[in-house]
Amino acid sequence: MNQALLRFDDLAARKDDPALFARWLFSGSLAERPHGLDGMQFRCSLCMAVTRMARREGVEDLREGMPCATCGMSARLRSCLAMLGTLVEPSDRIYITEQGTPAFAWLQARYPHVRGSEFEPDADRRAALAAYLESLGGHGPIEFQDVTRLDMADDSLHAVACFDVLEHVPDYRAALREFARVLRAGGHLLATFPFTDGPDTVVRASLSPQGEVVHHMEPEYHGDPVGGAVLCFQHFGWDVLAAVREAGLAHAEMVMPWSPEHGLLYGNWMLLARKTG
């Protein structure tokens, strides 16, 4: 997967890239066939099982779809967890901004020093998330953290993973500063989020000085593991790289893996940043 990784440190570098265009064209033609990806096979990079895509109508979601038939991980999660595995060692200290999820259960089984959390102050809902985590093979109580005010020590982590969470954080710049603070020199931030592939972040909602939600567009909500709905505040553009660098992570780029044999086609954009020191 890494040999086919495309990396761009700004929009100008990405623009008109021939390899990116070829992968977009191939993926689109494949996904838009009358019966989608019917018959396509891939080997999951996490559990190594082989999945044969079933016939379906409509266009296949190449990011949230294409689940492994064995472990159930979507293309996005498979690409994220495989990428994280190239950045850390089993003994490293990792923080992921989720806990009651299949991704955390997968990490917990392989990285003894992984730590997760949920932005959930209600004890009953945290208990429900803990029960769900146990059903996935994970264990332990659910920890409450506000990613804009982490309780972790400076320079204490080898990696921070934030998978489709930043779009739900009104002050995402504060979260980026916290990620930079807790990472040690050489540590990595790996993040995904709704990405426009345009120059500017689209602000869908914001908070007033009084803390009230102000909608600038039709409200968009995403689901959570226990059936709730979480408001999306922004869809990020290429200007997110400047925000990451301003937060203290000097080396930042958008990357996209490409591995049809592992079921990874066009569209799985990730933010990859490293703290220099």
Side-chain angles (χ1 to χ4, degrees):
M1 184 177 75
N2 286 340
Q3 293 179 356
L5 188 69
L6 295 179
R7 320 174 77 108
F8 305 102
D9 58 11
D10 58 27
L11 178 57
R14 171 257 186 270
K15 191 175 182 181
D16 300 327
D17 182 87
L20 189 67
F21 178 75
R23 293 171 187 185
W24 170 79
L25 192 64
F26 173 83
S27 300
S29 63
L30 192 64
E32 292 172 5
R33 294 184 306 174
H35 302 300
L37 303 181
D38 179 28
M40 176 182 174
Q41 293 189 117
F42 65 85
R43 182 177 295 277
C44 178
S45 55
L46 301 181
C47 71
M48 303 309 293
V50 174
T51 290
R52 182 182 178 90
M53 296 294 295
R55 177 172 173 168
R56 57 160 292 172
E57 301 299 327
V59 178
E60 183 72 33
D61 187 335
L62 304 183
R63 185 175 186 264
E64 298 302 328
M66 300 188 69
C68 170
T70 300
C71 69
M73 297 287 191
S74 66
R76 175 176 63 85
L77 288 176
R78 288 185 283 107
S79 62
C80 288
L81 294 172
M83 177 62 68
L84 185 61
T86 69
L87 304 175
V88 296
E89 300 294 334
S91 60
D92 284 352
R93 297 189 177 278
I94 305 164
Y95 169 59
I96 181 170
T97 59
E98 59 190 83
Q99 195 175 5
T101 64
F104 180 78
W106 189 90
L107 289 170
Q108 195 177 47
R110 291 160 179 82
Y111 297 92
H113 300 297
V114 69
R115 180 178 177 182
S117 69
E118 298 283 350
F119 185 68
E120 180 49 74
D122 184 80
D124 290 338
R125 286 181 60 83
R126 290 202 307 273
L129 281 167
Y132 178 62
L133 175 62
E134 186 174 358
S135 76
L136 298 171
H139 58 86
I142 299 297
E143 179 180 350
F144 170 73
Q145 286 282 347
D146 179 345
V147 293
T148 68
R149 293 188 292 272
L150 296 172
D151 68 3
M152 301 162 198
D154 295 357
D155 308 311
S156 59
L157 299 174
H158 295 86
V160 172
C162 184
F163 301 151
D164 279 30
V165 169
L166 274 179
E167 66 269 25
H168 303 297
V169 181
D171 190 0
Y172 68 88
R173 294 175 184 273
L176 291 173
R177 290 193 295 270
E178 280 295 271
F179 296 159
R181 179 184 66 80
V182 300
L183 282 170
R184 59 189 297 176
H188 296 277
L189 168 65
L190 180 63
T192 61
F193 33 71
F195 183 58
T196 68
D197 198 11
D200 301 317
T201 292
V202 176
V203 179
R204 302 187 60 89
S206 60
L207 293 183
S208 72
Q210 295 74 37
E212 298 176 343
V213 175
V214 179
H215 294 286
H216 308 291
M217 304 176 72
E218 184 71 21
E220 177 178 299
Y221 295 91
H222 302 166
D224 74 9
V226 292
V230 186
L231 180 65
C232 177
F233 282 87
Q234 54 263 326
H235 288 187
F236 291 96
W238 283 91
D239 56 350
V240 70
L241 293 179
V244 171
R245 292 166 186 143
E246 291 168 5
L249 299 171
H251 187 274
E253 56 190 353
M254 295 300 297
V255 304
M256 187 192 293
W258 171 260
S259 185
E261 64 271 26
H262 293 116
L264 300 180
L265 300 174
Y266 183 93
N268 287 289
W269 286 106
M270 306 178 202
L271 166 72
L272 181 58
R274 187 177 73 251
K275 184 175 181 178
T276 58

